[in-house]
Amino acid sequence: MSESPGLDELRVLAHPVRLRILSLLTGAAMSAAEAARELGETQANVSYHLRRLHEAGLLDVAEEVRIRGGLAKRYRHDPESGARFTSANPREEQLLIATIAEELKRRSEFRVPGKPGSTSDAEMWVDRETWEKALEHARELSELLHSAAKPPRTKGTIPVSATVSLFEMRRR
């Protein structure tokens, strides 16, 4: 695959099940069957999406294990692998952002009422220094959460959602 993905390569991210798989496999290596159980999807469907994500370089095979006489691959996601999917092509970016927006809608249905959270939306003008500082904080937040990700239902953990999309806008 080239360093700068085309629209077909970016489409690998533009599927809500694939976004959920990437999130799930940040905290734990899982086989298709394990991920399917956690996501409430069929094993065949998850297996297909795992293959697409692996082919795109977004998943690594963490291990291969024998299960009932067969060999199952357990995949793991490295959040840094997605950096090359940032593109200057507005169509590609819009496709990814639209998929993330749909996933945010799905996740919001599971928000625990009365629990603290943070929601912010803004379209504004700021100085370059403030913008660069905000970008750095967003990167730090992403690193903090991704590095602390645990397997689902690990004792002492809670399920959370984090979506951050910061981008400079062109002048109108």
Side-chain angles (χ1 to χ4, degrees):
M1 176 160 40
S2 67
E3 282 298 306
S4 177
L7 189 57
D8 287 339
E9 292 168 319
L10 188 72
R11 282 193 177 122
V12 76
L13 291 175
H15 193 288
V17 170
R18 292 184 191 145
L19 289 179
R20 292 177 64 203
I21 288 170
L22 291 176
S23 292
L24 179 65
L25 298 182
T26 297
M30 291 186 178
S31 68
E34 293 165 329
R37 280 191 298 276
E38 185 60 37
L39 297 171
E41 299 284 338
T42 67
Q43 182 175 343
N45 187 35
V46 171
S47 183
Y48 168 76
H49 291 301
L50 286 171
R51 281 193 309 276
R52 291 289 315 270
L53 290 165
H54 180 61
E55 290 165 2
L58 293 167
L59 294 179
D60 297 319
V61 176
E63 63 181 333
E64 293 185 8
V65 295
R66 290 244 171 243
I67 299 176
R68 292 186 215 122
L71 194 60
K73 294 178 182 177
R74 283 203 173 117
Y75 295 91
R76 177 97 188 198
H77 172 57
D78 174 6
E80 297 297 315
S81 68
R84 75 175 178 285
F85 283 89
T86 302
S87 169
N89 183 328
R91 286 183 50 221
E92 295 172 2
E93 291 289 337
Q94 289 170 351
L95 180 62
L96 178 58
I97 289 171
T99 304
I100 290 170
E102 284 301 311
E103 176 60 8
L104 180 57
K105 285 182 198 177
R106 184 197 67 80
R107 289 182 198 166
S108 69
E109 295 174 12
F110 298 97
R111 185 173 181 159
V112 179
K115 292 288 187 176
S118 176
T119 302
S120 177
D121 179 62
E123 180 178 334
M124 62 186 73
W125 293 69
V126 298
D127 60 82
R128 177 70 51 195
E129 183 180 342
T130 300
W131 172 244
E132 290 172 3
K133 190 174 180 180
L135 287 175
E136 184 57 33
H137 284 305
R139 289 184 195 107
E140 289 171 3
L141 171 64
S142 179
E143 172 61 26
L144 171 68
L145 291 171
H146 281 98
S147 66
K150 305 287 185 224
R153 298 172 223 309
T154 299
K155 186 177 180 177
T157 64
I158 57 171
V160 300
S161 174
T163 302
V164 177
S165 181
L166 302 176
F167 48 89
E168 191 169 334
M169 298 172 62
R170 67 178 174 267
R171 297 171 189 252
R172 293 182 269 200

